[in-house]
Amino acid sequence: MKTSMPQAFNIPIEATLEVIGGKWKTLILCHLTYGAKRTSELKKLTPGITQKMLTQQLRELEEDGVIIRTVYNQVPPKVVYELSELGQSLRPVIDVMCKWGELYIQGSTENQASLNM
């Protein structure tokens, strides 16, 4: 977890958004639900993200305890990221977000009505 002073939240979703909010974190977590990935794999899977931003987002997710960073002692160094147990608990949230997005993209009135899940 973050080493800084815990933030006070007005409602619980603020805590969720603090951890997974933003454009990139949710995409990174979505890719990691399919298994451990190296930094280069995540970069390829996330078009538009800069290396600096990817590194920053990975560090924040690791600091929040959502992902685990494993460094293998070899040449060249190998670093792998995977969901922690806490990160695994986000799977249902990510699954619902994906389903909502699919229905939204399809855009039909019938699908829009089923967004109320």
Side-chain angles (χ1 to χ4, degrees), residues 25-93:
K25 287 182 182 178
T26 308
L27 293 173
I28 292 166
L29 292 171
C30 183
H31 292 306
L32 291 177
T33 63
Y34 295 101
K37 302 276 185 284
R38 295 181 73 162
T39 310
S40 59
E41 292 175 289
L42 288 169
K43 178 92 169 75
K44 287 177 190 169
L45 290 167
T46 316
I49 193 169
T50 63
Q51 186 62 48
K52 179 181 176 183
M53 181 58 70
L54 177 60
T55 301
Q56 178 185 331
Q57 299 296 278
L58 289 168
R59 284 183 183 152
E60 289 177 13
L61 288 166
E62 182 184 14
E63 192 176 297
D64 286 329
V66 177
I67 64 171
I68 298 168
R69 178 179 185 259
T70 305
V71 180
Y72 294 91
N73 191 13
Q74 64 183 49
V75 178
K78 178 180 175 183
V79 179
V80 174
Y81 294 92
E82 61 187 314
L83 294 176
S84 66
E85 191 174 326
L86 180 62
Q88 292 287 348
S89 72
L90 285 167
R91 287 182 88 114
V93 175

Side-chain angles (χ1 to χ4, degrees), residues 2 7-21 64:
K2 288 188 177 177
Q7 181 177 342
F9 299 104
N10 295 313
I11 59 174
I13 197 163
E14 287 180 313
T16 306
L17 291 173
E18 176 69 23
V19 175
I20 69 167
D64 286 329

Side-chain angles (χ1 to χ4, degrees), residues 107-115:
S108 74
T109 308
E110 181 182 310
N111 288 333
Q112 295 291 328
S114 53
L115 290 176

Side-chain angles (χ1 to χ4, degrees), residues 26-27 29-31 33-34 91-106 115 117:
T26 308
L27 293 173
L29 292 171
C30 183
H31 292 306
T33 63
Y34 295 101
R91 287 182 88 114
V93 175
I94 293 167
D95 290 344
V96 168
M97 290 174 72
C98 288
K99 180 175 174 143
W100 188 93
E102 286 173 15
L103 294 172
Y104 182 79
I105 289 167
Q106 292 170 2
L115 290 176
M117 294 185 233

